[in-house]
Amino acid sequence: MKTTVFKVLSFTAFIFLILNSFAFAQITSSSASGRNNSKPDQVTEAEARIRQITDDAGKSFKEGLLSLQDNRRSVAAEKFNKSVEVFLMSGINLTSKDNVRARDCYNQLIETIYRIEFPTDAQVPQIRGLSATCSWNIDNKLADDIATLVRPSLNKQNPSAGNIVTASAVNGIPSDEPQIGFNEQKFESSPLDELAKLELTEEEKEVVNTPEGQQQYYVIQTAIANKSFGFNFQMHPMVQQFIAYYRGRGRATMETGLYRSGMFMRMARRIFKEEGVPENVAWLGQVESAWKPTAMSWAAASGLWQFIPGTGARFGLRKTAYVDERNSFESATRASARYLKFLANRYGGNWELAMGAYNCGEGNVDRAIKRAGVANFWAAYPYLPQETRNYVPNILATILIANNPQSYGFGHVRPAPPLMYDQIRIPPSTSLNLIAQASDTSVQYLRYLNPELRTNMTPPEPYIVRVPAGKANEVVALFRRAPASKLSNSNLANSAAGETWQTISNRTGVSVADLMAANPGMQIPRGKVFVPQGNKVASTNYSRPTSPTASPVANSIKVVKAQAGDTVAKVAQRYGANATEVAKFNGLLPTSVLGAGREIKIPAK
């Protein structure tokens, strides 16, 4: 998918914003003058508070710019995140018409940080405009230096400008490409970039004329005729030539892909089957990304399935300041299956043309078909982009090898175990650090399990987060102990046997009263305890998703459906299970009333 779509800020809209703000200021001034320049104390206090919040955010944002200028990218990311968090933690309603200044400043802050992290020549970050909207004192030279620093075309011409860190410093691979963005979560190059330039050698081309090649051709044709792969395709010498490539100089690429496929292929097969797409077509993911969720191509295509922003949005993948669902495991996989099915229907069930269009877009394939005069990939082949000419036979070669690795010399490769995780629903703007503490893991691993998250905080909405397998019930039970309004800005501390609230207070600096308020019902410390810092995040109920998720205990539980009027205790009694254990396993109380049809998991005895 080579055509990149970018969201462009409307300059007219920006000017309109400024004019409106100016008009608002004039009206306020006139009204005040009519009241002898006096305002109610509440209004004055509210304006002062919003001004303070905006100024605090500006201070962190400026520190982020200075850190980025010094090439301290991880520090810059923290400062930019903090500038956003100032608004989120303030408790003010950013959608209210009463908070126009804060709302406009916040919205433009989000847009500017996004443009700094994912810069394009078409839309550079408007730091001067942000400074004017928020009334921040940011030097124009600093604003212009940062806009130049992140501009891709200037970086390519002079990678050393401004001490830019290149991809070679990140991945250990020689490259002239500058690092994209500033976050510690690095993107990896997509295999599609090399595929576009790949040229087969004469030896690889000649393999089809050997006795072994002719025998291989017959075997493959027989398998296709027997519908062994779940869909029909036309065998072509280029498919065998790519098999020869992978058996020779491309061996390491195939071995790596077959190994990494184990982490995601089970999920991909399930979702493709649910969407009515042949399961083997899911091997497209190996060619697209080598099964790397953080793969990104030169055209800003991202994730396992390499969606560009425009196509991702067409199939329901959100891209905001908080999440980029193109990098999600399940959401992007389902979007990919739906896009492929849409394309196959467009081309009368021809999956070769569908895969070609997935790569270069429907427009290019439509034009190639028109010039060829027939809806056949190999007839349209000469009129397609070079990358797409390599792309489709490459996928078909991958499918053939993956379905019979022993015959092609890859029988020694053992796929990696499926990536296991549980999922829980988390309240708005919850720190990943707190979730990591609760699930006995690191923020880095949580970011690995949730590559769609763009900061170390969940979005300002209830959000489903992946945690290490087997930890969901523990995390849910732990979080339920404290009011949700106390979670977002809290930490967890492990209490030792015999400790008191006073000893924990002594080592955390938090009063005994605050500790006990954050851990209601706990007379003495037990296990992990919450250490509050105070916040104003809205309350949200924690619950497990009803859809099945990967878990190592999946085969040792029974999933049942509640009847009208059931409680957890009634369901447990019906199946001869301990009510307390069932409640704990589902993150509920024994007395919790269940809706008819709700799924409840009964742990094995």
Side-chain angles (χ1 to χ4, degrees):
M1 291 172 287
K2 299 181 66 173
T3 305
T4 309
V5 179
F6 295 101
K7 176 184 175 184
V8 180
L9 268 180
S10 167
F11 181 73
T12 304
F14 173 69
I15 295 298
F16 181 75
L17 254 174
I18 296 298
L19 292 174
N20 269 356
S21 300
F22 179 77
F24 179 78
Q26 295 296 315
I27 293 169
T28 303
S29 175
S30 301
S31 301
S33 139
R35 296 192 303 268
N36 297 321
N37 294 324
S38 64
K39 292 183 181 179
D41 290 343
Q42 285 184 328
V43 174
T44 302
E45 289 176 6
E47 289 178 350
R49 182 164 175 265
I50 289 176
R51 187 162 51 249
Q52 184 63 55
I53 291 166
T54 306
D55 290 346
D56 289 346
K59 181 180 178 182
S60 295
F61 180 77
K62 186 175 181 179
E63 289 173 352
L65 295 179
L66 293 170
S67 298
L68 186 58
Q69 189 178 49
D70 293 339
N71 202 30
R72 294 179 294 136
R73 294 177 179 271
S74 61
V75 176
E78 292 174 4
K79 297 299 182 182
F80 289 144
N81 286 344
K82 186 176 180 181
S83 68
V84 174
E85 290 169 11
V86 168
F87 284 104
L88 295 178
M89 297 301 179
S90 67
I92 64 174
N93 183 357
L94 292 171
T95 64
S96 171
K97 294 180 180 179
D98 297 329
N99 299 324
V100 175
R101 180 171 179 262
R103 181 192 66 196
D104 292 347
C105 179
Y106 172 78
N107 288 339
Q108 198 164 343
L109 172 66
I110 293 296
E111 180 70 21
T112 304
I113 292 176
Y114 176 79
R115 292 302 174 190
I116 294 175
E117 184 173 10
F118 292 101
T120 71
D121 288 326
Q123 185 63 58
V124 296
Q126 301 296 320
I127 301 172
R128 284 197 186 195
L130 172 66
S131 179
T133 299
C134 301
S135 300
W136 291 341
N137 183 26
I138 295 177
D139 183 71
N140 286 341
K141 185 178 184 304
L142 174 62
D144 295 342
D145 285 348
I146 295 298
T148 301
L149 182 69
V150 301
R151 191 167 181 175
S153 63
L154 296 179
N155 293 337
K156 287 181 181 179
Q157 294 168 13
N158 183 15
S160 61
N163 296 321
I164 292 225
V165 177
T166 64
S168 59
V170 178
N171 302 320
I173 301 172
S175 173
D176 292 330
E177 295 297 319
Q179 176 181 333
I180 297 176
F182 49 78
N183 269 326
E184 292 180 5
Q185 184 180 11
K186 304 299 190 299
F187 287 97
E188 303 169 83
S189 60
S190 165
L192 289 178
D193 293 343
E194 291 300 318
L195 180 62
K197 299 177 286 187
L198 180 63
E199 294 184 8
L200 295 167
T201 65
E202 290 302 318
E203 184 179 359
E204 289 162 351
K205 292 177 182 177
E206 284 299 315
V207 72
V208 297
N209 297 321
T210 65
E212 180 188 2
Q214 292 172 4
Q215 176 64 24
Q216 184 186 83
Y217 182 88
Y218 172 77
V219 171
I220 294 172
Q221 281 285 66
T222 302
I224 295 172
N226 292 335
K227 300 182 179 179
S228 300
F229 304 107
F231 69 103
N232 291 323
F233 60 91
Q234 182 180 339
M235 189 54 186
H236 189 275
M238 275 198 73
V239 179
Q240 286 181 276
Q241 291 165 1
F242 269 104
I243 291 175
Y245 163 76
Y246 281 124
R247 296 181 73 177
R249 59 193 176 113
R251 173 172 288 276
T253 301
M254 178 57 66
E255 289 176 338
T256 300
L258 290 176
Y259 171 76
R260 290 185 60 84
S261 72
M263 303 172 68
F264 301 104
M265 195 59 185
R266 180 188 295 178
M267 172 201 68
R269 284 185 176 276
R270 172 179 60 81
I271 291 176
F272 272 51
K273 183 178 181 180
E274 291 171 356
E275 295 296 333
V277 177
E279 294 177 40
N280 270 314
V281 175
W283 285 105
L284 172 146
Q286 181 158 317
V287 177
E288 286 284 348
S289 68
W291 302 110
K292 297 175 182 178
T294 54
M296 178 174 279
S297 77
W298 68 268
S302 183
L304 288 172
W305 305 98
Q306 290 293 284
F307 278 100
I308 62 171
T311 309
R314 279 175 60 192
F315 290 88
L317 300 178
R318 294 185 302 159
K319 186 178 181 184
T320 70
Y322 313 100
V323 295
D324 187 343
E325 292 180 341
R326 297 178 301 156
N327 298 328
S328 169
F329 301 152
E330 302 89 350
S331 298
T333 302
R334 194 167 298 280
S336 176
R338 289 175 177 173
Y339 185 29
L340 283 163
K341 187 171 183 179
F342 164 81
L343 293 169
N345 290 336
R346 182 186 184 96
Y347 298 115
N350 187 310
W351 287 99
E352 294 152 288
L353 289 172
M355 289 186 283
Y358 190 96
N359 177 251
C360 67
E362 303 99 293
N364 281 325
V365 172
D366 290 348
R367 285 188 290 272
I369 291 173
K370 186 175 181 179
R371 294 182 69 183
V374 59
N376 177 281
F377 176 80
W378 298 107
Y381 176 89
Y383 310 111
L384 290 167
Q386 178 60 43
E387 180 181 310
T388 309
R389 297 182 201 177
N390 286 346
Y391 180 81
V392 172
N394 201 312
I395 295 173
L396 296 176
T398 300
I399 291 172
L400 293 171
I401 293 173
N403 277 269
N404 199 357
Q406 195 73 39
S407 296
Y408 298 106
F410 294 95
H412 62 287
V413 180
R414 292 291 178 267
L419 186 62
M420 297 293 193
Y421 48 82
D422 289 344
Q423 300 186 76
I424 56 175
R425 194 178 305 278
I426 294 294
S429 304
T430 300
S431 167
L432 293 190
N433 183 57
L434 181 65
I435 303 171
Q437 292 171 347
S439 56
D440 297 316
T441 190
S442 65
V443 171
Q444 183 180 11
Y445 187 61
L446 282 182
R447 293 295 296 268
Y448 175 74
L449 289 179
N450 299 274
E452 70 272 26
L453 294 179
R454 300 187 57 215
T455 71
N456 288 340
M457 183 169 285
T458 64
E461 63 189 45
Y463 197 79
I464 293 177
V465 172
R466 304 176 195 89
V467 296
K471 288 291 182 180
N473 294 307
E474 181 180 337
V475 175
V476 169
L478 183 66
F479 279 17
R480 279 182 175 276
R481 285 192 353 229
S485 59
K486 299 291 185 182
L487 288 175
S488 183
N489 212 21
S490 296
N491 286 314
L492 284 168
N494 288 312
S495 62
E499 265 200 301
T500 65
W501 289 119
Q502 186 60 56
T503 59
I504 295 177
S505 174
N506 293 341
R507 61 186 171 91
T508 62
V510 178
S511 70
V512 170
D514 286 344
L515 286 170
M516 294 187 70
N519 297 270
M522 188 182 290
Q523 296 303 313
I524 59 173
R526 295 191 308 275
K528 293 184 175 72
V529 296
F530 286 99
V531 180
Q533 297 174 0
N535 64 75
K536 297 182 179 180
V537 177
S539 176
T540 292
N541 290 328
Y542 288 87
S543 63
R544 295 288 302 278
T546 57
S547 57
T549 59
S551 172
V553 297
N555 295 326
S556 62
I557 62 174
K558 178 188 293 185
V559 179
V560 300
K561 290 187 177 181
Q563 300 172 7
D566 270 351
T567 62
V568 172
K570 285 183 179 179
V571 173
Q573 183 180 21
R574 187 181 305 139
Y575 292 93
N578 182 283
T580 303
E581 289 298 320
V582 172
K584 180 180 178 182
F585 197 74
N586 289 273
L588 300 168
L589 298 173
T591 56
S592 296
V593 178
L594 307 173
R598 175 162 180 175
E599 291 183 347
I600 294 294
K601 296 179 177 65
I602 307 293
K605 296 180 181 179

